[in-house]
């Protein structure tokens, strides 16, 4: 994983203001997933497990229309936003 970290984009918010933004950890979490480290990916960015299916469903919905796909997408989007906000608050408190 060390090699991939050299190519990751730095967090501009962290560099300018000194604290993590709500997206900090997403790249590293994806890297952990690519290396099969599921628990480490979750610890780094818990919303990764709702964002990936959300992205896949959004792309799929452009090509195929399923019944209730909009409700599923909306539910995943709301869950993702809630997880992102909650994990951000928890990171700030720790």
């Amino acid at each position: 994983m060390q090699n991939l970290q050299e190519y990751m984009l730095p967090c501009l918010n962290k560099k300018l203001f000194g604290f993590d933004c709500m997206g900090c950890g997403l790249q590293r979490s994806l890297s952990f997933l690519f290396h099969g480290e599921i628990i480490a990916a979750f610890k780094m960015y818990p919303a990764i497990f709702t964002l990936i299916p959300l992205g896949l469903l959004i792309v799929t919905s452009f090509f195929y229309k399923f019944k209730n796909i909009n409700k599923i997408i909306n539910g995943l989007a709301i869950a993702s936003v809630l997880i992102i906000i909650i994990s951000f608050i928890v990171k700030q408190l720790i």
Side-chain angles (χ1 to χ4, degrees):
M1 185 163 130
Q2 186 65 9
N3 294 339
L4 285 178
Q5 285 188 350
E6 295 173 9
Y7 300 104
M8 290 186 183
L9 297 172
C11 177
L12 189 59
N13 189 61
K14 192 169 189 171
K15 284 195 179 263
L16 292 176
F17 303 114
F19 60 89
D20 292 347
C21 68
M22 289 191 186
C24 278
L26 179 62
Q27 291 180 90
R28 288 175 285 163
S29 180
L30 280 171
S31 177
F32 280 131
L33 274 181
F34 290 145
H35 287 94
E37 299 179 36
I38 296 170
I39 295 171
F42 179 78
K43 287 180 181 178
M44 186 61 60
Y45 199 76
I48 193 76
F49 294 106
T50 55
L51 288 173
I52 290 174
L54 176 62
L56 291 173
L57 277 175
I58 289 172
V59 170
T60 304
S61 70
F62 287 121
F63 302 106
Y64 304 103
K65 298 298 177 197
F66 297 107
K67 185 178 180 181
N68 299 325
I69 189 122
N70 290 333
K71 290 181 182 180
I72 297 169
I73 289 173
N74 289 339
L76 277 174
I78 291 169
S80 296
V81 169
L82 288 174
I83 293 169
I84 290 168
I85 291 171
I86 291 168
S87 65
F88 176 74
I89 292 170
V90 169
K91 278 184 185 179
Q92 299 306 313
L93 295 175
I94 293 177

